[in-house]
Amino acid sequence: MKVAVVGATGLVGSEILTVLAERNFPVTELIPVASEKSKGKEIEFKGKKYKIVTPAEAIALKPQVALFSAGGDTSTEFAPQYAEAGIMVVDNSSAWRMDPSKKLVVPEVNGDVLTPEDKIIANPNCSTIQMVVVLKPLHEKYKIKRVVVSTYQSVTGTGVKAVTQLMDERAGKEGEKAYPYQIDLNVIPHIDVFQENGYTKEEMKMIKETNKIMGDDSIRVTATTVRIPVMGGHSESVNIEFENDFDVTEVRALLAQQEGVIVVDDPANLKYPMPKDAHGKDEVLVGRIRRDESQDNTLNLWVVADNLRKGAATNAVQIAELLNKKGLLS
């Protein structure tokens, strides 16, 4: 199978290559794709070297599937061209997520929605992915009314420039800035651009994407997204109000049975999820599972995942695996 990775030199693109290798996706020929300035450079994948080509050149090489992680502008321009050429596209940008004609997929949650007609499939926002994997079994059992989520997001979600800013600040060096403020020894309650309603675009993504993935517009969601000076993963404090009451022991059991989730919840021995523990893992870690004593039928959770893996690369590869399993990558 010919597989194109569009944006192969970026943080997420590099992680996609790692995940493809680790999960033994049936790649017979890799087509690494990047901008004109990277054309001709070589990338190594599973012991073989492949030359980088431009997005336009890759179409002529006829990959069966293209995993896009090169930003919204590239996706908007080239994803339809790839689809038109019969190439299945899994897109990691926000370009197609809220397009009503495109599926927004987390395989463990709504993988069943994929059909042969879906030529461009959207990969959700990283912070949404890790939350909905945890919400799914709880919604099925108790019916979710409302979710209040606050995120604590890694600088890796912004990209290489942000990682460099953090490391420069930590070393006391001047350098290029990804953020309007210092990030080391600081917290910035601002991810993406502010909207007219006072929320940021990242917060609105979580709200709208959750409804679309869960297939239920009745779930009310409010979010506050925050950048913190860590690498390795995003953390979320999630407060969930249900229509029906629950038993905390049963909640733990449901989450332990959910595909893609690991329960780390032993406060007596100081066991709870942290970004450093999620780093390099494909699973979503959940802990601090407890009843909200201020309100009926309400639960508190702490959810952590590696934002470059399950939040981006792994989810994209899992979608490709699902397409392959359904026989849609001919």
Side-chain angles (χ1 to χ4, degrees):
M1 187 182 300
K2 286 186 183 179
V3 178
V5 176
V6 183
T9 56
L11 271 182
V12 175
S14 301
E15 203 64 42
I16 286 174
L17 295 174
T18 300
V19 174
L20 284 168
E22 283 180 3
R23 295 175 73 92
N24 285 316
F25 192 80
V27 181
T28 53
E29 184 185 335
L30 179 74
I31 303 169
V33 183
S35 62
E36 191 73 43
K37 67 179 182 186
S38 296
K39 179 181 171 177
K41 291 179 182 172
E42 289 189 329
I43 274 183
E44 192 168 311
F45 177 74
K46 295 182 96 168
K48 284 182 74 175
K49 292 195 169 162
Y50 297 90
K51 277 204 164 87
I52 293 172
V53 299
T54 65
E57 289 170 335
I59 299 173
L61 297 173
K62 294 189 164 33
Q64 278 100 327
V65 63
L67 307 178
F68 273 64
S69 63
D73 290 345
T74 301
S75 297
T76 303
E77 181 180 355
F78 286 103
Q81 294 180 39
Y82 279 63
E84 187 68 30
I87 303 160
M88 296 293 270
V89 172
V90 180
D91 181 50
N92 201 53
S93 79
S94 59
W96 306 101
R97 289 175 186 157
M98 296 315 299
D99 184 325
S101 70
K102 306 291 184 288
K103 304 287 172 57
L104 185 66
V105 175
V106 179
E108 301 94 327
V109 179
N110 65 337
D112 58 327
V113 300
L114 289 173
T115 70
E117 285 69 48
D118 297 312
K119 299 302 181 195
I120 299 173
I121 299 139
N123 207 31
N125 185 41
C126 47
S127 44
T128 309
I129 289 173
Q130 67 188 71
M131 184 171 76
V132 296
V133 172
V134 170
L135 294 183
K136 181 181 190 280
L138 303 180
H139 186 49
E140 286 176 349
K141 182 72 177 178
Y142 310 114
K143 186 139 179 56
I144 296 171
K145 286 173 67 177
R146 182 170 186 249
V147 177
V148 181
V149 56
S150 298
T151 72
Y152 306 74
Q153 293 181 224
S154 160
V155 294
T156 55
T158 308
V160 175
K161 194 169 156 185
V163 174
T164 303
Q165 178 180 341
L166 174 60
M167 292 296 103
D168 282 349
E169 289 171 352
R170 194 148 289 188
K173 286 163 51 181
E174 281 300 317
E176 202 179 6
K177 306 283 188 196
Y179 303 118
Y181 300 103
Q182 174 183 322
I183 185 62
D184 191 33
L185 299 175
N186 195 25
V187 163
I188 303 174
H190 164 201
I191 298 178
D192 214 324
V193 295
F194 280 97
Q195 311 289 283
E196 283 185 13
N197 63 359
Y199 285 74
T200 65
K201 194 173 174 186
E202 180 85 354
E203 290 157 355
M204 294 310 299
K205 283 177 195 172
M206 288 195 78
I207 292 164
K208 292 174 179 174
E209 289 179 22
T210 298
N211 291 136
K212 184 170 179 178
I213 297 162
M214 299 290 287
D216 191 338
D217 287 338
S218 74
I219 300 172
R220 290 173 296 156
V221 183
T222 188
T224 303
T225 59
V226 181
R227 190 72 66 191
I228 63 170
V230 303
M231 292 196 284
H234 291 347
S235 305
E236 298 174 349
S237 170
V238 188
N239 179 271
I240 312 162
E241 181 187 358
F242 299 106
E243 281 192 9
N244 305 301
D245 200 8
F246 57 87
D247 175 77
V248 173
T249 304
E250 185 180 49
V251 166
R252 284 195 188 93
L254 284 170
L255 292 171
Q257 290 159 17
Q258 168 65 12
E259 184 189 351
V261 170
I262 297 174
V263 174
V264 184
D265 190 42
D266 183 7
N269 291 299
L270 308 185
K271 302 286 187 191
Y272 31 71
M274 294 182 287
K276 73 177 189 62
D277 301 322
H279 185 59
K281 288 192 173 68
D282 290 331
E283 295 83 9
V284 175
L285 312 183
V286 59
R288 299 298 319 278
I289 301 166
R290 64 207 188 279
R291 186 177 288 276
D292 177 348
E293 296 184 346
S294 72
Q295 175 170 273
D296 290 343
N297 303 350
T298 305
L299 182 73
N300 285 308
L301 301 170
W302 178 250
V303 179
V304 180
D306 185 323
N307 55 293
L308 293 183
R309 290 187 66 103
K310 184 55 185 168
T314 300
N315 200 72
V317 173
Q318 285 175 317
I319 292 170
E321 288 173 343
L322 192 55
L323 292 170
N324 195 35
K325 188 177 173 185
K326 287 174 174 266
L328 302 179
L329 299 181
S330 52

